[in-house]
Amino acid sequence: KQEVTQIPAALSVPEGENLVLNCSFTDSAIYNLQWFRQDPGKGLTSLLLIQSSQREQTSGRLNASLDKSSGRSTLYIAASQPGDSATYLCAVEWGGFNKFYFGSGTKLNVKP
Amino acid sequence: DTEVTQTPKHLVMGMTNKKSLKCEQHMGHRAMYWYKQKAKKPPELMFVYSYEKLSINESVPSRFSPECPNSSLLNLHLHALQPEDSALYLCASSQEPGLEYNEQFFGPGTRLTVL
């Protein structure tokens, strides 16, 4: 069964701290993995997509890594800011069938 | 332009009403999706259209009826909904079905309340 897990469910850090969000998946034969952020009551904003052939992707203060053999991806956020407060979701596509499996998200609170 | 638009933003309907949600993208994407999201939960996939053909239906009740009139437009027709159908309905699109670089882009959602 294909499942995506995100731990912890919630995280609170002081401003300026570097932090890591985790995403685990059960089947290593993924097609791609995508990280999103969602603000309350809003749609999802795409942050980074990692294809199965890639090990990491970077965008500004964000860096996402992928380790298929261990079934894990991490999202690293450098120098966190209060504006980074949101729920972060990862989604995995298996098989190229356009079916994306979402983790339940990590709610991040960055305290000023 | 990486925008997916959805209308209306908010919708309140009675259980006997018929209404439609609309989604539009002009990025040339060939896959479009409907998701349902309840509070504090991740999005749940409802339907996928690939090259304007319905490719995935996640056993959604028939009171939800999707339609893809062309490659840029996706509708969700609603009829005889139940209060438990109240949720945020999200539309998404992605570039090319079957490619590894199949990045999804989401719209802002329609907040649906069924009375």
Side-chain angles (χ1 to χ4, degrees):
Chain A
K1 185 180 177 184
Q2 290 155 331
E3 290 185 351
V4 181
T5 305
Q6 291 184 251
I7 295 173
L11 183 62
S12 184
V13 301
E15 182 177 3
E17 192 162 297
N18 301 327
L19 59 100
V20 173
L21 305 180
N22 298 297
C23 174
S24 302
F25 45 90
T26 50
D27 182 347
S28 63
I30 69 170
Y31 224 55
N32 59 56
L33 184 146
Q34 194 168 355
W35 282 95
F36 298 90
R37 73 171 275 168
Q38 185 174 30
D39 295 290
K42 306 291 186 184
L44 279 66
T45 300
S46 177
L47 298 174
L48 290 164
L49 176 136
I50 309 179
Q51 300 171 60
S52 67
S53 56
Q54 298 174 325
R55 294 296 301 270
E56 65 178 303
Q57 284 284 347
T58 299
S59 176
R61 294 183 294 110
L62 306 179
N63 176 276
S65 67
L66 175 65
D67 184 346
K68 289 192 298 179
S69 62
S70 65
R72 286 172 49 183
S73 175
T74 60
L75 180 67
Y76 174 83
I77 303 177
S80 58
Q81 304 169 357
D84 295 330
S85 298
T87 296
Y88 290 79
L89 294 145
C90 67
V92 177
E93 184 184 6
W94 278 281
F97 301 120
N98 301 313
K99 187 168 180 177
F100 293 81
Y101 294 76
F102 278 85
S104 52
T106 295
K107 186 173 182 180
L108 174 65
N109 178 33
V110 181
K111 298 172 289 186
Chain B
D1 180 11
T2 57
E3 190 179 30
V4 177
T5 59
Q6 289 187 246
T7 55
K9 286 187 169 51
H10 301 276
L11 179 62
V12 179
M13 59 187 291
M15 289 190 284
T16 58
N17 292 156
K18 284 186 182 181
K19 297 285 185 183
S20 296
L21 309 184
K22 179 180 171 181
C23 173
E24 203 160 1
Q25 57 88 14
H26 296 287
M27 296 178 278
H29 289 178
R30 302 314 304 270
M32 295 187 78
Y33 310 75
W34 280 116
Y35 288 87
K36 172 183 176 181
Q37 188 177 29
K38 302 283 269 186
K40 300 188 192 304
K41 297 289 187 184
E44 298 173 34
L45 184 65
M46 299 175 72
F47 302 104
V48 181
Y49 274 84
S50 178
Y51 296 98
E52 299 157 53
K53 287 185 168 36
L54 184 64
S55 60
I56 296 177
N57 177 342
E58 289 288 88
S59 303
V60 178
S62 60
R63 57 186 184 269
F64 295 91
S65 175
E67 179 195 19
C68 188
N70 58 57
S71 60
S72 300
L73 190 56
L74 185 66
N75 297 319
L76 186 62
H77 304 296
L78 314 172
H79 174 55
L81 294 193
Q82 304 295 311
E84 59 265 29
D85 297 321
S86 298
L88 182 67
Y89 287 83
L90 294 163
C91 174
S93 69
S94 66
Q95 290 174 289
E96 287 280 350
L99 290 188
E100 283 190 6
Y101 193 73
N102 195 26
E103 187 175 5
Q104 279 196 302
F105 294 90
F106 279 77
T110 293
R111 172 70 61 189
L112 174 67
T113 302
V114 182
L115 300 176

